[in-house]
């Protein structure tokens, strides 16, 4: 099986049956070699960009860790404030309602 490849600058959209003397035969192994070269070029580009990708992923992990730490700090702060307020409340004093009874809070 021999495939024909047009020369550079030549139109490949010829009608069926039209022969052109300017076509060169291309062996399938040559096409496979070209494909391997393209894959190697893509792999090379990925390897060149790998340090940038690793840095970006690590920055995302750090940002996520900071957000988790901020949420934990907020939860601890709310717990401490409620605990301190509970210490200063009189034992017989009724607790104020915490929720809105399943309704949305007015803003």
């Amino acid at each position: 099986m021999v495939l024909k490849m047009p020369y550079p600058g030549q139109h490949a959209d010829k009608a069926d049956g039209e022969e052109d003397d300017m076509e060169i035969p291309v062996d399938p192994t040559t096409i496979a070699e070209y494909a391997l070269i393209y894959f190697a070029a893509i792999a090379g580009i990925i390897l060149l960009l790998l340090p940038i990708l690793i840095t970006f992923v690590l920055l995302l992990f750090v940002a996520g860790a900071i957000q988790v730490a901020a949420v934990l700090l907020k939860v601890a702060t709310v717990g401490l404030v409620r605990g301190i307020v509970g210490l200063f409340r009189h034992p017989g004093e009724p607790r104020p309602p915490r929720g809105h009874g399943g309704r949305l809070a007015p803003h």
Side-chain angles (χ1 to χ4, degrees), residues 21-61:
D21 295 333
M22 295 187 66
E23 291 181 350
I24 51 174
V26 178
D27 194 35
T29 56
T30 306
I31 294 175
E33 288 173 3
Y34 286 160
L36 287 176
I37 290 171
Y38 287 137
F39 287 138
I42 291 170
I45 291 170
I46 289 173
L47 285 176
L48 285 174
L49 294 177
L50 200 58
I52 296 171
L53 292 173
I54 289 173
T55 304
F56 184 69
V57 168
L58 287 176
L59 283 173
L60 285 176
F61 280 142

Side-chain angles (χ1 to χ4, degrees), residues 97-106:
R98 289 191 179 178
H100 296 284
R103 294 168 293 151
L104 293 175

Side-chain angles (χ1 to χ4, degrees), residues 78-91:
V78 168
L80 284 173
V81 168
R82 284 187 178 176
I84 291 171
V85 168
L87 288 175
F88 290 108
R89 186 174 294 138
H90 296 293

